[in-house]
Amino acid sequence: MSTIVLYPSPGMGHLVSMVEFGKLIIKHHPSFSITVLTLIPSFNTGTTAAYVRHTSATFPTITFHHLPDIPLDPNLFPSTEGIVPELIRQSNPNVKHALQSIISSSSNIVAFIIDLFCSPALTLAEKLNFRVYYFFTSGACCLAQLLYFPILDKTTNQSFKDMNTLIHSPGLPPIPSLDMIGPLLDRTSTVYAAFLEFSNLLAKSNGIIVNTFDSMEPKAIKAIADGVCVPNTPTPPIYCVGPLLATVGDGSRECLNWLDLQPRGSVVYLCFGSLGVFSSDQLKEIAKGLEMSGVRFLWVVRSPPSDKKEDRFLPPPEPDLDVLLPKGFLDRTKDRGFVVKNWAPQVVVLSHKSIGGFVTHCGWNSVLEAVSFGVPMVAWPLYAEQRFNKVVLTEEMKLALPIEELKDGTVSAVEVEKRVRQLIEGDEGKFVREISTMTKEEATLALSDGGSSRVALSKLVASLGCF
Ligand SMILES: O=c1ccn([C@@H]2O[C@H](COP(=O)(O)OP(=O)(O)O[C@H]3O[C@H](CO)[C@@H](O)[C@H](O)[C@H]3O)[C@@H](O)[C@H]2O)c(=O)[nH]1
């Protein structure tokens, strides 16, 4: 049996698209078997456990091999980007054991496909003589930036966070240094060192599969394919096979019934990924802005981050809306607004005819989901590579309007009001909507028979040498 082993990073935004990629392979090449190595840690990763359970039950052709959890002290890590690489590094012996047990069950591992964060497993797999591919869960622009990052690293001793300049890289628009990919901002941090290593390893793989499609990011894809992002060594082939979306979603169905009753294209949806949270002051500003705008809204609200350091990585408790939102807000907006606690079935929401716009943190899956349904966005980045994505989405792709932050990093009610109005009612929104509609059509084309993403999948499978 020819087996492809997938090794995703544990976060929702990483695991889902990789498992969906596994489903895509099985659909088009049913002779392969897929095994997914999963880490379901004790810290908050969104609703991954439920997603894995659901996929196991509905897709018996995909086997999940759970790696043992390694308890880590959250007090030692500044962020999720810090704790995840450590968990993955310490899991390497368990990964080796899992790969050996798959081989001994008479499977032939034809490819080991890993997430960027799982780079420590690359050397291990090479020693076992597997072909190793990356599955890159963000866009090709982000990939181009990371491939070029080792060059940028050599040209300066300063941290991007201290530069106040524009960063120029092949295939990319100029990126304000403060908007660079989050883990790259401070060159003295351990996560910077980890990402430098990951960036170098990316170029040593047999190929990089990207959750995007050719016509969405043509300049970055060309720069990578032409080898100019990694000037001194050959660049592995890239395979743009997306957009890959989760086909099922957890969360309140009540909000879908509410959406059914709203006029077409009238509702702005606000949601900030699997982990995005705001302070209670910021939640109140958003509420005020939504109320002043008069626009219909569907808003996913979570409890603010805990003050206790040891609780930072735990799932947030159910939000107390009466305490968190301005007094009387829910009552005053009940005819045109709906608040969901914690989690909405986002893919279904974005596909609903009543949705007219999306205020997003610019997580790549959220972006692709919006693109797949032609929904224009307001870009409100929070962490990871989301500021970088915002620049690309607003300056290059013109799929989103930017939210402007105040000097302290917060966003005022007036700005929220202005942007949601522009998005749903203004000419600015009309413009990004037109581009979004065109991009949606291009996405559909890429996924159709003979489309660029299907061709890329066939090339990838051919590179495995099994046929
Ligand atoms: O209420 C919710 C919230 C989220 N989602 C889903 O959860 C996923 C979230 O993914 P994404 O939008 O990519 O955000 P993150 O979870 O924040 O993803 C992480 O991983 C992404 C892929 O690498 C990066 O682009 C992000 O910056 C990083 O934070 C999407 O499929 C959403 O549809 C829901 O279904 N309901």
Side-chain angles (χ1 to χ4, degrees), residues 269-411:
Y269 169 61
L270 299 93
C271 183
F272 299 84
S274 53
L275 302 176
V277 284
F278 289 111
S279 69
S280 60
D281 285 351
Q282 183 65 81
L283 286 172
K284 289 193 176 67
E285 283 298 296
I286 299 175
K288 273 195 240 165
L290 289 174
E291 191 168 355
M292 291 187 307
S293 74
V295 168
R296 288 169 206 270
F297 63 87
L298 171 59
W299 179 19
V300 180
V301 173
R302 300 201 178 112
S303 293
S306 167
D307 294 335
K308 291 195 201 132
K309 220 175 164 197
E310 64 274 20
D311 289 350
R312 278 173 314 152
F313 298 121
L314 296 179
E318 177 144 311
D320 183 345
L321 300 181
D322 292 331
V323 173
L324 290 171
L325 304 180
K327 206 166 182 323
F329 167 80
L330 289 174
D331 203 38
R332 290 192 299 276
T333 56
K334 67 176 184 308
D335 293 337
R336 61 178 179 86
F338 195 100
V339 172
V340 177
K341 292 180 184 178
N342 279 338
W343 199 263
Q346 180 163 301
V347 175
V348 192
V349 166
L350 285 170
S351 68
H352 198 286
K353 64 165 184 35
S354 301
I355 293 295
F358 180 18
V359 180
T360 170
H361 73 318
C362 308
W364 193 248
N365 297 286
S366 293
V367 168
L368 291 179
E369 289 159 11
V371 161
S372 299
F373 301 112
V375 178
M377 292 169 267
V378 164
W380 183 339
L382 300 178
Y383 55 94
E385 89 300 20
Q386 296 151 17
R387 284 180 177 279
F388 174 92
N389 289 347
K390 172 191 170 181
V391 178
V392 172
L393 287 169
T394 56
E395 306 288 324
E396 177 91 354
M397 301 175 183
K398 313 280 185 213
L399 288 167
L401 306 176
I403 204 113
E404 302 292 344
E405 294 172 348
L406 300 171
K407 280 217 170 69
D408 65 359
T410 62
V411 173

Side-chain angles (χ1 to χ4, degrees), residues 40 79 116 143 168 177 218 248 258 286 316 325 377 416 420 460:
I40 305 211
S79 64
L116 180 72
L143 173 63
H168 297 272
S177 43
V248 288
W258 179 81
I286 299 175
L325 304 180
M377 292 169 267
V416 173
V420 297
L460 168 71

